[in-house]
Structures are given as structure tokens and as C-alpha cells.
Amino acid sequence: MLLDRAALVAATEPFGRSRMLPPAAYTSAEVFAWEQRQLFAGSWTCVGRESELRAGDLTQRAVSCGDVGVLLTFDSPGEVRAYANTCAHRNHELLPVGDGTSHRSITCPYHAWTYGLDGALHQAPGFRANADFDPAAHGLVPLPVERWGGWVFVHAGGSHAPEPFFDHLGAMAGIVDPYAPEQLVVRATQTYEVAANWKVITENYHECYHCPLIHPELCHVSPPTSGQNYDLPGRWVGGSMDLRPEAVTMSLDGSSHGVPLPGVDQRRVEYLGLLPNLLVSAHPDYVMTHRLTPLAPDRTQIECSWLFPDTDPPVDPSYAVEFWDLTNRQDWAACESVQRGLASPHARAGPLAPNEDAVYRFVSMIASAYLAP
Ligand SMILES: [Fe+2]
């Protein structure tokens, strides 16, 4: 690792004595490249909602996991497969990132090598006369893929073998599953591009120490010192916060225009971050997610989605969108300021406040990943 070892060890000291990551962790192109391969490609990255990825009955969709291109295929309902988005002939991309098609076969646009949705090579023009050519040796490279809660997760390969997805998810499943996110539908999406490192955005999400200064609307419906953070198995961090007695959800006036989700605590909001890139905010009447895609050391794309029960007529999500879009923009302004400060030659790895224990858990996990052989 390119970062100073003593600084990383300092980030893993017990809470109360530890420091944040060294500033170079947020600004270095080399660190960013390492993270793309090891923390994003080499872990269970969330690539989106299955309903959106296969929208319109698509059979194929190209996405990226860190710096690795992935081709998802949807053969039959309820089945998702993932392959490296790389032709076995000359490694041309099979489909541009973000694109989808509803073709029943996968044809490389370079030399027309054609594969089935199961990754098997069906046609390689000109090779029929070659008796030594074995199509079975030239299929697409399969990648581990899992579905949970309506989201799709891909492990696109790093230097370590994949940890089983449900070990990675750990006890977060027990907190999120009562919200039955797989039954919810996306009623609003907002995409932001923020001039800050993805870790700055994640760290900001996991503490409300900043709330009294920059989020008056949030503090109006939820006491910033309320709630507890979790310390449970899995590659996630987070905690809950309470609603004020007069508020039924997070909205500008504390009222809901939706319906209560059955079987969940109506007095609290869960704020959970599954590494590397999915933040889940579970409310009494809706679930909001932030899905982070790092673009550069100092740039991150954030797709914010609001999920509601599939009612007829549909819930108008504007009460939730209005509240969180305002709060998001307050956060992005703070994160961009932190990023500018981190680029200063005078930036230091600062200490953590007593109510930044979830930030500590995140930072110490990242520092441990940097330190791992
Ligand atoms: Fe905030």
C-alpha cells in the first residue's frame, strides 16, 4: 500500500485514541486505483435495483464494478447471471457500460463472436474449419452475482476469493429484511455528481455531529443526538435515530403522504452502510438508498432512490424527495468543502468525536483493508 503504515495503524487504534485516514487516502490517484480494483471490483458492489437493470424485459445490461466491466444477463424471470464484459477473442467490450439490449444472444460488435445468455460460445466466424478449436474453452468468464432485497450485487474479482455474500451482509439483513425492500418500488430517483471522495461522503453519512450546524430541517424532525450505532457481524456500519414525538417520518413538516410499512418500528429511522457502496435509510413509510459510484479521487456519482409500497394509486414521493434532496445538498456542500481541505498540504488525520463511533468502524475497516497483505 502506498499510504504511510503508521498512519493506517493509527486509524485502527481503539476508538477514542484513533485517527482518521491520512489525507492522501482521499486524494491519491494510486490509492483510488487500488480501491477500484480491491474494494469495489474485489467485493460485493451493488449495481442497482433488478427491476431497473432489466426494465423493459432486457436480457442484457452492462455495468461496472470498480474498474471491471460486467455484463448482466437475464434469461428467465428471477434469474440473473454476471460475466466479465470482455470478448474471449480480442477482449473487446460486448456492450458499452450502461447499455442494455433484449437480444437472446450476445454478439461482440468487433468480430461477431456470439455467445448464449449462459456465456457459452455459439459462433466464432472462420473457426469452423479449425479442428483444434474448442468453443467450450472460449466462453465468457462467469462472475459471482447475488440478489437481496431487490438489489443486485456482483463480485467482479480482486486478489482475494469472494467472501460469501450473506457473510458480507451479516446482521444487516436482520435489520433491513422487515422493511421487505424486495416488495417496494422505486418512485423517485435523483442522481448527483459530488466533488468529493466516496469515503468523505460515507463518513458524513454515518455521523450526526454536523447536523445541528448544517441540517436545521433534519433536527426539526429527529433529535441529532438520538439513537445508537450497531456493532454486529458483517461488512457494514450504521445505527438508528429517533423521530421527535410530533413527527411520523422524515419530511419537512414531519408528516407522511405514504402508508406505514407493516412490522417495522414506527418511531425510528435506520441509517446503514453496506460496503463498499450502498447506503440504506429505512423510514417508517419508505426506504431511501444512496448508491455510490466513485469516478475519480475527488468525484463521486450518487444515485439516490426512494422506494415505496406498490400501492394504487402510487404514493406521491415528493414529501420525502423534497426533504432529502435539501438535506443531500447540504451534505454535498460540506463534503466538497472537506475535499478541498484534504487537498491542502496542511491537511492532517484528525481525531474522532465521541459520537463518531460509526465513522470509526468504517475508517478502521478501510484502514485494515489497506494494511491487509
Ligand atoms: Fe448530513
Side-chain angles (χ1 to χ4, degrees):
M1 197 3 90
L2 306 134
L3 294 163
D4 176 56
R5 190 176 176 82
L8 296 180
V9 170
T12 63
E13 291 286 319
F15 183 56
R17 292 212 308 265
S18 79
R19 293 298 185 119
M20 292 295 286
L21 298 170
Y26 304 89
T27 58
S28 153
E30 289 79 8
V31 171
F32 181 80
W34 183 91
E35 291 177 343
Q36 286 286 96
R37 178 59 57 90
Q38 300 301 335
L39 299 185
F40 283 79
S43 178
W44 289 102
T45 288
C46 179
V47 296
R49 294 288 292 173
E50 183 178 349
S51 60
E52 297 191 314
L53 291 164
R54 64 192 301 172
D57 291 327
L58 294 187
T59 56
Q60 303 165 44
R61 169 85 73 178
V63 296
S64 53
C65 278
D67 60 344
V68 176
V70 174
L71 185 71
L72 299 171
T73 69
F74 311 103
D75 197 353
S76 51
E79 191 187 14
V80 180
R81 298 183 202 199
Y83 302 94
N85 185 17
T86 302
C87 183
H89 171 230
R90 206 74 71 71
N91 297 299
H92 192 284
E93 288 175 328
L94 300 161
L95 203 60
V97 176
D99 280 11
T101 85
S102 49
H103 296 146
R104 299 292 307 167
S105 59
I106 302 162
T107 302
C108 179
Y110 197 17
H111 301 95
W113 278 40
T114 299
Y115 306 83
L117 295 176
D118 62 356
L121 178 63
H122 287 178
Q123 284 177 45
F127 278 82
R128 187 167 296 184
N130 184 344
D132 295 335
F133 182 73
D134 177 11
H138 301 281
L140 299 180
V141 177
L143 299 173
V145 57
E146 293 281 357
R147 303 150 75 228
W148 168 70
W151 297 285
V152 178
F153 300 83
V154 176
H155 194 297
S159 57
H160 298 279
E163 178 182 37
F165 175 74
F166 286 93
D167 292 349
H168 176 87
L169 180 60
M172 183 168 152
I175 301 169
V176 175
D177 286 347
Y179 293 82
E182 67 284 357
Q183 294 173 25
L184 303 179
V185 291
V186 177
R187 290 289 184 222
T189 303
Q190 173 86 45
T191 302
Y192 306 91
E193 200 174 305
V194 181
N197 184 271
W198 68 278
K199 300 187 295 300
V200 170
I201 292 160
T202 303
E203 290 157 5
N204 172 80
Y205 176 82
H206 285 301
E207 52 92 358
C208 216
Y209 186 32
H210 68 267
C211 293
L213 279 87
I214 73 167
H215 298 314
E217 297 82 5
L218 184 149
C219 295
H220 180 66
V221 287
S222 184
T225 54
S226 67
Q228 287 282 315
N229 289 319
Y230 299 107
D231 190 1
L232 295 169
R235 305 274 178 186
W236 62 279
V237 305
S240 65
M241 284 177 64
D242 302 331
L243 293 163
R244 290 196 191 274
E246 59 278 17
V248 301
T249 192
M250 299 296 276
S251 65
L252 290 173
D253 65 2
S255 72
S256 170
H257 297 255
V259 291
L261 296 170
V264 306
D265 190 328
Q266 294 294 310
R267 301 308 315 152
R268 66 200 282 177
V269 182
E270 305 285 354
Y271 296 97
L272 311 169
L274 180 64
L275 266 65
N277 72 327
L278 182 67
L279 308 176
V280 178
S281 309
H283 302 64
D285 55 338
Y286 64 93
V287 171
M288 176 180 71
T289 58
H290 292 88
R291 194 170 62 86
L292 278 54
T293 304
L295 303 175
D298 59 353
R299 287 199 94 69
T300 305
Q301 180 186 285
I302 303 168
E303 180 193 71
C304 189
S305 301
W306 289 265
L307 283 65
F308 288 84
D310 190 7
T311 54
D312 183 21
V315 174
D316 177 352
S318 54
Y319 73 101
V321 174
E322 191 178 30
F323 175 86
W324 279 114
D325 182 55
L326 175 71
T327 305
N328 282 339
R329 291 177 194 278
Q330 293 163 340
D331 280 322
W332 309 156
C335 292
E336 291 184 344
S337 179
V338 168
Q339 188 70 36
R340 291 191 294 274
L342 283 164
S344 163
H346 305 292
R348 284 164 291 179
L352 289 93
N355 51 1
E356 293 183 298
D357 53 319
V359 178
Y360 168 74
R361 284 199 69 215
F362 173 73
V363 161
S364 57
M365 276 191 212
I366 299 293
S368 299
Y370 290 151
L371 286 165

